[in-house]
Amino acid sequence: MRSRYTAYALGNAHHIMDTTHPTSPHYQEDADVWSAEISAFCRQTDFLGLQIRTSSTQGERGHVEFAADLRQSGHTSQMVENSLFVQQDGRWLYVRAEES
């Protein structure tokens, strides 16, 4: 989770794409379009901080609840999510947000 947040803050679309599971609703087959969308989001957003609230693993599944402080167009907000990750080939990949 921390590496993905840092990648967003630095505008590293490749890392976001590389750590997203192919079954994720965020995954896109057209890498150029997907990269452009991530890059645009990163340019329009100031990433102000990340707090990991909880994390747990059970086998090859993991959950991370986090709160990310963001600013877009001068408006500050907080994104809170309980994220599902799965381990594949020794790497943790983001799947989706889950209901808390």
Side-chain angles (χ1 to χ4, degrees), residues 51-63:
Q51 302 87 41
I52 303 295
R53 293 183 171 176
T54 63
S55 63
S56 63
T57 59
Q58 187 172 20
E60 295 182 346
R61 293 173 60 94
H63 287 89

Side-chain angles (χ1 to χ4, degrees), residues 22-63:
T23 64
S24 172
H26 301 284
Y27 185 89
Q28 294 186 35
E29 289 291 329
D30 189 327
D32 292 335
V33 169
W34 189 16
S35 179
E37 289 175 1
I38 293 168
S39 295
F41 174 76
C42 293
R43 283 191 307 275
Q44 298 166 3
T45 307
D46 294 320
F47 297 85
L48 306 175
L50 174 70
Q51 302 87 41
I52 303 295
R53 293 183 171 176
T54 63
S55 63
S56 63
T57 59
Q58 187 172 20
E60 295 182 346
R61 293 173 60 94
H63 287 89

Side-chain angles (χ1 to χ4, degrees), residues 4-98:
R4 287 176 57 86
Y5 177 85
T6 300
Y8 276 111
L10 297 175
N12 185 347
H14 176 75
H15 182 74
I16 299 302
M17 295 164 62
D18 194 45
T19 57
T20 302
H21 195 274
T23 64
S24 172
H26 301 284
Y27 185 89
Q28 294 186 35
E29 289 291 329
D30 189 327
D32 292 335
V33 169
W34 189 16
S35 179
E37 289 175 1
I38 293 168
S39 295
F41 174 76
C42 293
R43 283 191 307 275
Q44 298 166 3
T45 307
D46 294 320
F47 297 85
L48 306 175
L50 174 70
Q51 302 87 41
I52 303 295
R53 293 183 171 176
T54 63
S55 63
S56 63
T57 59
Q58 187 172 20
E60 295 182 346
R61 293 173 60 94
H63 287 89
V64 177
E65 182 183 344
F66 71 90
D69 296 314
L70 311 170
R71 182 173 39 236
Q72 292 180 317
S73 303
H75 300 285
T76 302
S77 63
Q78 186 173 72
M79 176 185 176
V80 177
E81 181 176 300
N82 183 19
S83 300
L84 170 64
F85 287 81
V86 295
Q87 192 174 39
Q88 182 175 309
D89 299 324
R91 300 174 56 231
W92 287 101
L93 304 177
Y94 174 81
V95 180
R96 66 180 176 272
E98 292 204 318

